[in-house]
Amino acid sequence: MRLPKFDYRQPESIQEACAILLDQPDAKVLAGGTDLLVNMKHRVETPSMIVSLKGLRDLDYVRKANGMVRIGALTRLKKVYNDPFVAKKLPALAAAASSVGSYHHQTMGTLGGNLCQQTRCKYFNQSKWWRSARPLCFKAGGDPCHVAKKDQVCYSTYCGDVAPALLVLNAEVVLSGREGSKQVPLESIFSGVGKTPLNLEPGQILTEIVIPEQSADGFSTYKKIANRGSIDFPIVGAAVWTSASTGESRIALTAVDRKPVRTRQLEDFLKGLELNEETIQGVDGLVAKETQLMMSSIDSISYKRKLMGQLVKSALSEAMGGR
Amino acid sequence: MEKQFSVVGKRLPMVDAAAKVNGSAQFTDDLTFPGMLHGKLLRSPHPHAKILNIDVSKALRLPGVKGVVTGAEIPDRQYGIVPKARDEYALAKGKVRYIGDEVAAVCAIDPEIAEEAVDLIEVDYEVLPAVFNVQDSIKEGAPVIHEGVANNTSFAIRKEFGDVEKAFAESALVSEDSFYSQPVNHAPMEPHAAVAQYDPVRGQVVLWSSTQIPFFLRRNLSATLMIPESKVRVIKPKVGGGFGQKIDMFAKDFCAAWFAMKLGRPVKFVYERDEVFIVTRQRHPMHLTVKTGMAKDGRILAQQFLSYADGGAYNSTAPTMMALSCFFLMVPYHVPNLLYEGYHVYTNKPVGGAMRGHGIPQARFAVERQLDLMADRLNLDPADVRTKNSIKAGEPHPGGFVINTCGFAESVQLAAEAIGWKEKRGKLPFGRGVGMGGASFPSGVTNMSHISSGAVVQVGQDGGVNVLTGAADIGQGAETVIAQIVAEVLGVSLDDVRVTAADTGTTPLDPGTFGSGVTVRAGNAARIAAESVRKKLFECVADELEANPDDLVARDGVIFVTGSPEINITFPKALKAYQYKDLPMPLVGRASWMADTNEPTTLFTQPGNFSPNYSFMTQAAEVEVDTQTGKVKVLKMVTAHDCGRPINPMLVEGQLEGSIAGGMGQALYEDVITEKGQVMNPSFLDYGFPTTMEVPEMESIDIETDDPVGPFGAKEAGEGTQLSPAPAIVNAIYDAIGVNFNELPVTPEKILKALEEKKKQGV
Ligand SMILES: Cc1cc2nc3c(=O)[nH]c(=O)nc-3n(C[C@H](O)[C@H](O)[C@H](O)COP(=O)(O)OP(=O)(O)OC[C@H]3O[C@@H](n4cnc5c(N)ncnc54)[C@H](O)[C@@H]3O)c2cc1C
Ligand code: SF4
């Protein structure tokens, strides 16, 4: 498959990049390209211009300052999980980053690109010819949704591995625009709208991921079930962070909804409860309630639902052991 | 004692291994020619529709487009690998029968423009009702997929011997069980490609194609282009895997040649990965009901089969596939009474074709599963049941097969020992289990037209040996094996032998790579050709060595007198002597080889032999089922294998390992999922076949039998081992969790469901 035609720009500064993006509303940012280029070949994304972030060399770092771990958006996943602090103190992040796709995706894919990746759907991630056998779906520019069997909705699924890990680590992200930058909770950038899954304003790019060092104090893990060991998006992925000192826990899931999901009711349920076999068994029903599973992948809803419960329970059991 | 062989039986790297590793090996897509154009196909978006009108004017007006062709313009000549089952046009005429059917082809100065032009072709369709499964397709009043084919059943077979009913009446246990095998894609690494060039002066088309069957392709091209075979030259560059998927001609072959002839410029077609999944071939989904009568001690007294293969939109190899599926129920077990009825049914889905095992994996899965079910019902050890029923070499075979060598019973015992059967079967903790499956496969076929191979061996003045063979190496190492055979006969090293292969313009006739006949058939041709060269050399040096030519041996670069190795002459000196005697150079030997032709051409109505020889194997698996996620991990797979004498054990192991991954795919991972005829997972990512990370510890045990027909005693090692891994794994799952799965693939979801059911029932 070939890429469609596009103009290519490689700005030298964030400001310049933002300016180009503002100027060209249908331009797309290119980081590692492992998500974007595939979608372009499938013609589900056809930006008239690609704005490569390759020139922004100073967005590639993992550093600690003032009680925060700061990671540049262009840092490759491999560099993220190989960082000694991340590897040792933020195991959920290390596990998530090292579980993305195959080794090749980890050496090419960036942390920012991973968070900002497109949602997925079995009717969407297909070639143009394949899709021509059905009316163009809503996300791809038509009206119907083949998953929901109605018009003007999209239930494509967010399948990124790293977002749930960063969510339970209470990460924030820095969004930069022409007017400057602001730091917002990571969770706020996910819209939950299948067609436009990110809440980024025109001209905005994600430049930095910020993790409070306190998150290193708790227990954290990311668990993923995928078809194969060598490559594959999660069928379900779950991140769990717990603190022995405060009794708090944070849980987030991926591949179960249009965005990565923090399961707040479940967290509330677990609050103050002692983590033991019994409390853990209670999680099944709650987890399912907080997600909206749809048949957007070839894995069935019931299977995903079963796995979700299993994953959270096994992560919590590990947390118990970890204390 | 003199050693037996120097090159044969050695673990030698493939002759083209280095070129493949350093990237210099040329595959079809690596070829470029000045002025080359690029083609692309427009495919049907409907599973079943009439083509009312095709408007190509917009496409033709796009700058850079050099040609467009539709089904209306091509000759009314259908093609297909089996002459009596031809039902396909390179481009659909009047009607499309599945999503992906070729409607038109475009040719442009670059692939991008070709792709753009395809989108500009406007087709008016009248959508027709479609059928997506066998049950619906054979119903009265079902949509007719091919005119004149009643009940959409394009092929029906029946074979019977003995008295099944009587034997059932005498059986201690008669069981009837139903099985289903899913569609599986071959997924070769190299997508299908073709480049064509036309020489208008000689009127000759040259086609480079990623094919397994250059000579059949030549015939199909000649028939469909309506030009003589002598004007078609098919060259096979390196091929990155076929597994049967490259046995057919495809639209890319025809259209490349068509455009090259019309436009006088070279034209290339390369399929996308989703095209490989959707529009080439797949293993036939098959429903199979097996009724078996067994004596109390586990002896099979009779078997009755009813099978329905879902062929998709076209026949491809249907008659052959059905025949193999039937005939190979007669080995490796002794079935004294047999009745087989099988039907090949059209549906509006991707097309079934030859795939590693070719109809037999589905049948084998059913039988090997049922043997375990019945052993359980009779409280017998499945391993014992297998040995007890093994056919034996030299004994009369109920179907008329001639079995000269058979290591099957031994393979059951050795596989059982290696997996730890006695200690493990039924004794491992819940979630862990062992299972086995047995199989047998032909090394090509006897007595069928054109199933014959030629070879030319030529020795140059410098001692270099050149072999011309039509055998199609598609990555399995056919050229290496042939070179080893020639090197052994001439007593030279593998490095001295160069193989020129698979060019219908220069190399001798060969049917190509299918039916696992290459080593035996093309290998024998090469052996005899080399022997005739050696004979000339021996006759020339016999005087000098004061010996009878019949007493000479060629080995390790030296010709010596048997029993007196000190009386010798080196190979280069022998060559010199040959020249000084003014004998004509180059030294050339040629041969053709075909299996015994005294057998009947069809075994449907009479008994007879099928193949020059038969391989036998047992594979035993140990698995671990994760009861939380339903995932099955194959921990170990043992293969005890009788492939005669392996010419190159390393290549045989490569085949075994590949078959284990393939069998795991069939058992656990792979399924071409369709929704209303549309393939939902046409990519490496979504199709999800197992990768290196999933592959278990593998042990192979070689049971050497010295087959009288195969070259140096060799038998096939290509397809047979693809038959037994899947049933071995599924049988092991039963041992692990006590659930019998009779439908493939056994997905984690099915496992979880079954475990829940089990819990509910409180067992
Ligand atoms: C075969 C395959 C398997 C995969 N498996 C997985 C998997 O298991 N888990 C997983 O999480 N992902 C997987 N991916 C998706 C992808 O490879 C990874 O998510 C990767 O991390 C994306 O990073 P990238 O830098 O390559 O993103 P890009 O492709 O460059 O960008 C992705 C998207 O984010 C936007 N973007 C990129 N950077 C920024 C930024 N700084 N600010 C704003 N927008 C931005 C782009 O415009 C684009 O829309 C897989 C992809 C493939 C092809
Ligand atoms: S969920 Fe519906 S709208 Fe969204 S991508 Fe899938 S088919 Fe299209």
Side-chain angles (χ1 to χ4, degrees), chain B residues 113-126:
Chain B
I113 295 175
E115 219 173 297
E116 218 182 311
V118 160
D119 285 346
L120 296 176
I121 299 174
E122 287 162 8
V123 188
D124 293 335
Y125 293 103
E126 178 193 327

Side-chain angles (χ1 to χ4, degrees), chain B residues 245-521:
Chain B
Q245 205 176 37
K246 294 172 180 171
I247 275 178
D248 293 83
M249 178 171 109
F250 291 101
K252 48 113 186 163
D253 298 303
F254 176 89
C255 294
W258 172 272
F259 280 129
M261 287 175 71
K262 294 278 164 211
L263 302 169
R265 285 169 71 170
V267 180
K268 178 189 279 184
F269 277 75
V270 182
Y271 281 1
E272 300 291 351
R273 181 54 61 187
D274 62 357
E275 290 181 291
V276 175
F277 271 101
I278 299 167
V279 307
T280 63
R281 296 294 181 249
Q282 63 184 17
R283 178 177 291 147
H284 293 81
M286 199 186 277
H287 301 268
L288 200 76
T289 302
V290 189
K291 187 173 172 187
T292 300
M294 249 186 202
K296 222 163 81 194
D297 64 355
R299 267 177 309 118
I300 299 170
L301 300 182
Q303 284 192 308
Q304 184 176 336
F305 304 90
L306 176 63
S307 82
Y308 287 93
D310 179 345
Y314 295 99
N315 267 333
S316 179
T317 59
T320 315
M321 185 278 298
M322 294 300 294
L324 285 166
S325 183
C326 164
F327 299 157
F328 280 78
L329 294 162
M330 302 191 277
V331 278
Y333 305 116
H334 185 86
V335 183
N337 301 284
L338 177 143
L339 171 59
Y340 184 99
E341 269 177 80
Y343 301 91
H344 179 269
V345 180
Y346 288 132
T347 57
N348 296 108
K349 285 196 306 196
V351 184
M355 180 176 180
R356 206 169 178 192
H358 206 178
I360 311 176
Q362 299 94 318
R364 212 60 272 147
F365 170 70
V367 170
E368 294 299 315
R369 270 273 52 227
Q370 202 199 31
L371 277 186
D372 270 40
L373 289 168
M374 294 185 73
D376 209 40
R377 289 165 194 157
L378 286 170
N379 211 5
L380 298 169
D381 177 351
D384 288 345
V385 170
R386 286 182 171 80
T387 4
K388 195 165 283 163
N389 284 294
S390 170
I391 54 165
K392 291 181 189 69
E395 282 187 1
H397 182 269
F401 285 12
V402 178
I403 312 283
N404 289 318
T405 52
C406 171
F408 183 67
E410 202 182 340
S411 79
V412 177
Q413 283 153 13
L414 292 176
E417 266 164 40
I419 204 77
W421 189 262
K422 284 255 146 30
E423 310 83 70
K424 289 179 179 166
R425 176 82 185 181
K427 296 176 188 139
L428 291 169
F430 187 79
R432 244 173 123 136
V434 293
M436 64 166 63
S440 170
F441 202 80
S443 315
V445 296
T446 47
N447 198 23
M448 274 169 84
S449 54
H450 304 279
I451 307 294
S452 134
S453 291
V456 177
V457 172
Q458 172 179 315
V459 182
Q461 290 177 333
D462 65 346
V465 181
N466 238 310
V467 185
L468 296 183
T469 168
D473 195 331
I474 56 169
Q476 83 275 40
E479 290 180 20
T480 306
V481 164
I482 287 166
Q484 278 179 274
I485 289 171
V486 169
E488 186 65 54
V489 171
L490 293 176
V492 299
S493 79
L494 188 60
D495 286 344
D496 296 323
V497 183
R498 265 180 313 280
V499 177
T500 301
D503 173 348
T504 66
T506 58
T507 59
L509 181 76
D510 188 282
T513 289
F514 64 88
S516 292
V518 180
T519 295
V520 169
R521 192 179 49 237

Side-chain angles (χ1 to χ4, degrees), chain A residues 41-318:
Chain A
K41 287 185 175 181
H42 281 157
R43 306 292 193 272
V44 287
E45 296 194 82
T46 48
S48 62
M49 179 186 284
I50 290 286
V51 180
S52 168
L53 301 185
K54 210 194 274 176
L56 313 183
R57 282 170 216 286
D58 45 358
L59 288 184
D60 173 9
Y61 56 82
V62 184
R63 59 173 88 101
K64 275 191 301 168
N66 307 326
M68 296 289 168
V69 182
R70 298 183 165 270
I71 307 178
L74 287 187
T75 312
R76 309 278 179 192
L77 294 170
K78 184 181 165 198
K79 184 164 169 180
V80 172
Y81 65 73
N82 275 339
D83 178 84
F85 185 81
V86 173
K88 204 149 168 237
K89 294 293 196 175
L90 302 170
L93 175 57
S98 62
S99 78
V100 170
S102 72
Y103 182 74
H104 310 81
H105 298 99
Q106 296 157 19
T107 53
M108 282 303 289
T110 64
L111 188 56
N114 188 280
L115 295 175
C116 297
Q117 67 181 272
Q118 263 293 5
T119 47
R120 300 182 63 80
C121 170
K122 63 183 171 186
Y123 301 102
F124 180 76
N125 299 105
Q126 302 282 4
S127 70
K128 188 175 177 196
W129 163 66
W130 190 97
R131 289 182 293 109
S132 77
R134 300 164 187 269
L136 207 56
C137 83
F138 179 56
K139 187 171 169 84
D143 278 325
C145 168
H146 306 305
V147 170
K149 308 238 161 27
K150 354 183 225 204
D151 281 359
Q152 311 264 325
V153 290
C154 171
Y155 285 102
S156 56
T157 306
Y158 184 86
C159 295
D161 275 307
V162 187
L166 286 174
L167 284 178
V168 302
L169 295 174
N170 255 354
E172 304 215 318
V173 287
V174 176
L175 303 180
S176 302
R178 204 162 48 174
E179 257 63 88
S181 58
K182 57 177 185 182
Q183 189 168 321
V184 300
L186 170 62
E187 199 176 1
S188 70
I189 71 165
F190 299 110
S191 67
V193 177
K195 182 152 173 152
T196 48
L198 289 182
N199 283 326
L200 293 188
E201 280 161 29
Q204 242 178 5
I205 43 184
L206 193 160
T207 48
E208 191 175 56
I209 293 89
V210 186
I211 307 162
E213 252 185 82
Q214 293 134 331
S215 296
D217 290 343
F219 162 91
S220 80
T221 186
Y222 175 73
K223 287 182 174 293
K224 163 176 180 171
I225 295 178
N227 185 26
R228 297 167 289 185
S230 49
I231 189 165
D232 280 333
F233 280 95
I235 298 172
V236 176
V240 167
W241 176 91
T242 58
S243 161
S245 52
T246 66
E248 256 183 302
S249 49
R250 295 193 286 265
I251 299 164
L253 297 162
T254 188
V256 295
D257 206 330
R258 288 158 285 181
K259 59 178 184 184
V261 176
R262 262 290 289 278
T263 55
R264 290 223 157 62
Q265 290 175 35
L266 176 60
E267 291 172 14
D268 286 347
F269 164 79
L270 293 169
K271 197 173 285 168
L273 281 187
E274 198 183 319
L275 276 184
N276 58 34
E277 290 300 333
E278 209 174 306
T279 42
I280 287 179
Q281 291 314 317
V283 307
D284 254 352
L286 281 170
V287 188
K289 262 195 211 147
E290 291 182 77
T291 58
Q292 187 163 21
L293 289 166
M294 293 294 278
M295 267 312 277
S296 63
S297 80
I298 51 182
D299 301 298
S300 79
I301 292 178
S302 66
Y303 183 54
K304 281 194 175 217
R305 189 171 290 135
K306 279 177 206 159
L307 291 188
M308 227 156 57
Q310 294 292 357
L311 272 186
V312 173
K313 282 190 282 190
S314 87
L316 286 172
S317 306
E318 220 171 90

Side-chain angles (χ1 to χ4, degrees), chain B residues 65-100:
Chain B
V65 171
K66 295 294 171 191
V68 182
V69 59
T70 69
E73 294 154 64
I74 64 170
D76 193 1
R77 283 280 188 282
Q78 288 181 314
Y79 68 87
I81 183 88
V82 183
K84 62 181 170 194
R86 286 182 183 150
D87 61 356
E88 234 174 318
Y89 291 105
L91 298 169
K93 278 186 181 288
K95 171 161 145 162
V96 287
R97 297 180 172 86
Y98 77 108
I99 296 176

